[in-house]
Amino acid sequence: MPDRPLSILFVSSEVYPFAKTGGLADVSHALPMALRELGHDVRVMLPKYGNVSERRNRIHEINRLKEVPIAVGDTVEPATIKSSSMQNPRTKVQAYVTTNFTYFDSKKGLYADPVTGEPYNNDERFIFFDRSVVTTCLLLGWFPDIIHCNAWQTGLIGAYIRTMHAKEFARTRLVFTIHNAADQGIFPASSLEKTGLPKEVYPRLTHAKQLNFTKAGMEFADAITTVSPTYAKEITRDKIASGGTPALFRGYQIEGILNGIDTYYWNPKTDPLIEHRYDAESWKDGKALNKKALRDRMKLPHEEKVPVLATIARLGEAKGIPLLIEILPELLRESVQIVVLGEGDPSLATTLQKLAAKHPKKLAVFMGFDDELAHLIEAGADMYLMPSLFEPCGLNQMYSMVYGTVPIVRATGGLIDTVTEFDPDARKGTGFVFRDYTADDFLAAIKRALALYKKPTYWATLVQNCMSQDFSWSKSARRYEEIYRDILARR
Ligand code: ADP
């Protein structure tokens, strides 16, 4: 008899296309869609931030879930849970959206003020959200087989369903996925009382005398995963990858499952956001047309033989932006054009803008968040720069490869699991990899790439290698399904 379909609630603080600051949103779209395609009843849940349009996202009210009181410390705020869906030509997944004026609708950013960079009161906001998730299940009388919690923002859900609502959720199993171990959701111990959880569980929510949402998520999970096999090892050993606390992660069993990519939105054959679609056969023409569009958009001159190198990233140390800035003066002496799309650290943004003003024919930067431009960059660039200090999984290197944009990456985390150095003799490999986080190593890798670019036959082989990679969710979604079934069998 075939296995029965499972009911799965997939919870995340960002889900494409509703709200996105990074890869978490893409995963929280694509994995539920892949699980739905495997036949499961999957629903996602996220908060509705002030910059999310209800009209554009077709978010509408649900009768039973209006103005539900939710306690955060001594205050009570109303949550109205609304409904929407996300879809592609193959499938559709229902979404629940937590709305509340004070915590979410009045705020334009997801986690911090977009102008000042000042974080919001995120302890209260995500206590409120986590409680709204539990309350929604209670009011709907829907106790899914699996609640799959993603990133620290969902870290308290397990604590609520195993303490205050243990009876109702007795059959529900919980998976907690770490998307970035350096971002743990740490707040002062005084925030513990705001959770409303029984005092006996405080030790399970606390690490180094502080409230730690990630620790709580791991404590109450039936299975813990992270987003690549190498990162799963790194967070138990490496100070940087683990946000300074490898010992915290050594206390748990954590499986690394490589993220996949959405094969509809991030596919040069079907990408709805680019004008000139292409595949492995038509890549040369496709790339040339998109490169032209990209140069036009970024106001770079058209120079036939000059390769375009690009990066799209949160501007910060984690993505290696300081290292990129360090090498730019020397890199700009080469025959290259460079495109940077990013948002984040204002001082890094200013440095990049100043450099671009000095080299307008070679360096173009766009500071802000622009989904359409991100797709055009993947389609139009020749090489993709990813010098990350650490990288839980990384999606852009995978997007790059399927668009025939050769990745140049640092050997860390998920980048090790997805990119291999091109060997011209064996004609194998998918990019250029450097080990040490140094200007010399990074520049050397770029120079290897630039040298190969001058040999069109080799370059074409490399591009074909990239474009024939299968990064779809099919394998990893099946692994999650196995984990769900395993923990359900452990009743
Ligand atoms: P992370 O989640 O650590 O930021 P990933 O490589 O996993 O890094 O995913 C980043 C995602 O966010 C990609 O889809 C990338 O295109 C997108 N992205 C990052 N910065 C921007 C930006 N400024 N504009 C548009 N998309 C962006």
Side-chain angles (χ1 to χ4, degrees):
M1 205 175 74
D3 286 324
R4 74 175 173 93
L6 303 175
S7 52
I8 303 161
L9 179 59
F10 193 97
V11 191
S12 176
S13 60
E14 44 186 283
V15 180
Y16 182 83
F18 304 101
K20 169 169 172 177
T21 67
L24 174 61
D26 289 6
V27 171
S28 303
H29 173 91
L31 176 54
M33 297 292 262
L35 290 164
R36 178 76 197 97
E37 282 193 63
L38 292 176
H40 303 294
D41 169 13
V42 193
R43 309 180 200 178
V44 300
M45 188 151 180
L46 75 153
K48 187 203 155 302
Y49 308 93
N51 63 356
V52 179
S53 152
E54 292 203 7
R55 197 174 42 83
R56 210 168 339 111
N57 289 289
R58 294 167 197 230
I59 297 172
H60 50 82
E61 294 196 341
I62 310 173
N63 273 338
R64 270 180 294 172
L65 300 174
K66 279 186 199 158
E67 308 257 326
V68 183
I70 305 253
V72 177
D74 294 332
T75 57
V76 175
E77 275 284 325
T80 292
I81 312 303
K82 299 186 180 178
S83 170
S84 184
S85 65
M86 50 190 197
Q87 48 201 302
N88 65 30
R90 295 193 304 259
T91 193
K92 185 172 171 174
V93 164
Q94 190 184 351
Y96 294 119
V97 185
T98 297
T99 67
N100 167 273
F101 182 77
T102 313
Y103 290 126
F104 296 114
D105 241 328
S106 59
K107 312 260 191 295
K108 281 246 157 22
L110 268 62
Y111 315 116
D113 186 294
V115 179
T116 62
E118 194 62 33
Y120 299 131
N121 52 342
N122 289 327
D123 53 347
E124 295 184 16
R125 296 171 82 223
F126 291 101
I127 288 169
F128 179 84
F129 174 63
D130 288 3
R131 296 197 84 162
S132 82
V133 172
V134 176
T135 305
T136 298
C137 293
L138 290 165
L139 290 175
L140 291 174
W142 184 58
F143 302 101
D145 294 312
I146 299 291
I147 299 183
H148 189 154
C149 295
N150 292 275
W152 73 258
Q153 290 85 351
T154 63
L156 296 182
I157 293 171
Y160 291 115
I161 70 166
R162 291 292 177 249
T163 59
M164 296 155 78
H165 303 289
K167 249 208 199 127
E168 297 94 323
F169 288 92
R171 298 168 70 86
T172 296
R173 293 291 171 269
L174 193 131
V175 176
F176 182 70
T177 298
I178 298 161
H179 289 259
N180 181 354
D183 190 12
Q184 295 174 11
I186 297 171
F187 301 93
S190 55
S191 293
L192 282 161
E193 288 203 350
K194 299 180 189 169
T195 65
L197 283 159
K199 283 204 165 55
E200 307 87 80
V201 302
Y202 284 5
R204 300 181 70 185
L205 317 177
T206 308
H207 181 71
K209 302 204 172 107
Q210 289 172 303
L211 167 59
N212 186 312
F213 275 63
T214 294
K215 157 115 185 238
M218 295 195 291
E219 274 291 308
F220 290 92
D222 298 292
I224 308 165
T225 68
T226 188
V227 290
S228 72
T230 297
Y231 193 62
K233 288 185 213 137
E234 286 176 350
I235 57 175
T236 63
R237 295 176 193 159
D238 185 89
K239 262 204 134 156
I240 293 173
S242 64
T245 58
L248 169 64
F249 296 103
R250 280 202 286 277
Y252 302 91
Q253 198 186 331
I254 303 171
E255 179 173 335
I257 302 175
L258 192 69
N259 279 339
I261 67 173
D262 188 282
T263 50
Y264 173 70
Y265 283 106
W266 289 102
N267 179 347
K269 239 198 288 195
T270 51
D271 187 335
L273 296 180
I274 59 172
E275 208 175 307
H276 310 287
R277 303 202 179 100
Y278 59 97
D279 60 16
E281 261 120 63
S282 59
W283 76 271
K284 270 191 192 153
D285 293 340
K287 197 156 271 306
L289 288 168
N290 285 296
K291 191 156 32 176
K292 182 169 181 318
L294 176 61
R295 281 177 166 141
D296 284 343
R297 170 86 201 260
M298 302 306 287
K299 302 197 170 62
L300 286 169
H302 292 276
E303 293 189 46
E304 190 73 7
K305 293 223 162 92
V306 177
V308 174
L309 285 57
T311 195
I312 306 161
R314 279 181 288 118
L315 300 180
E317 174 114 76
K319 294 292 172 195
I321 302 301
L323 188 62
L324 176 66
I325 288 174
E326 191 183 331
I327 67 153
L328 272 176
E330 189 168 339
L331 183 55
L332 286 163
R333 277 187 224 129
E334 303 281 331
S335 172
V336 292
Q337 289 180 326
I338 302 161
V339 171
V340 180
L341 166 61
E343 192 176 49
D345 186 327
S347 77
L348 295 175
T350 309
T351 310
L352 284 165
Q353 277 164 326
K354 278 189 187 154
L355 275 165
K358 236 168 109 181
H359 304 272
K361 291 186 178 159
K362 296 189 109 176
L363 173 63
V365 302
F366 182 92
M367 295 298 134
F369 199 91
D370 189 328
D371 201 24
E372 213 171 300
L373 181 55
H375 284 251
L376 179 60
I377 289 173
E378 291 293 8
D382 297 293
M383 303 170 200
Y384 190 88
L385 304 174
M386 207 152 170
S388 308
L389 183 60
F390 66 94
E391 192 60 74
C393 176
L395 295 173
N396 275 314
Q397 81 282 14
M398 294 192 266
Y399 296 154
S400 296
M401 285 183 265
V402 300
Y403 283 76
T405 306
V406 174
I408 301 169
V409 305
R410 177 155 175 266
T412 180
L415 298 174
I416 293 178
D417 297 333
T418 49
V419 184
T420 50
E421 174 86 17
F422 183 67
D423 174 349
D425 297 329
R427 301 195 163 235
K428 287 206 170 110
T430 51
F432 299 89
V433 184
F434 67 101
R435 196 148 295 279
D436 292 336
Y437 188 81
T438 60
D440 284 351
D441 262 30
F442 187 19
L443 267 169
I446 296 175
K447 286 182 182 170
R448 291 200 296 281
L450 294 176
L452 199 88
Y453 187 77
K454 292 191 185 127
K455 300 177 181 163
T457 335
Y458 282 106
W459 192 260
T461 305
L462 172 52
V463 168
Q464 290 299 331
N465 289 357
C466 288
M467 292 187 79
S468 61
Q469 299 295 305
D470 176 8
F471 292 118
S472 71
W473 265 103
S474 51
K475 200 165 139 215
S476 295
R478 289 233 178 255
R479 180 63 199 139
Y480 276 108
E481 186 185 32
E482 268 170 28
I483 291 176
Y484 298 159
R485 293 203 192 276
D486 283 353
I487 55 181
L488 280 163
R490 263 194 256 145
R491 287 196 197 277

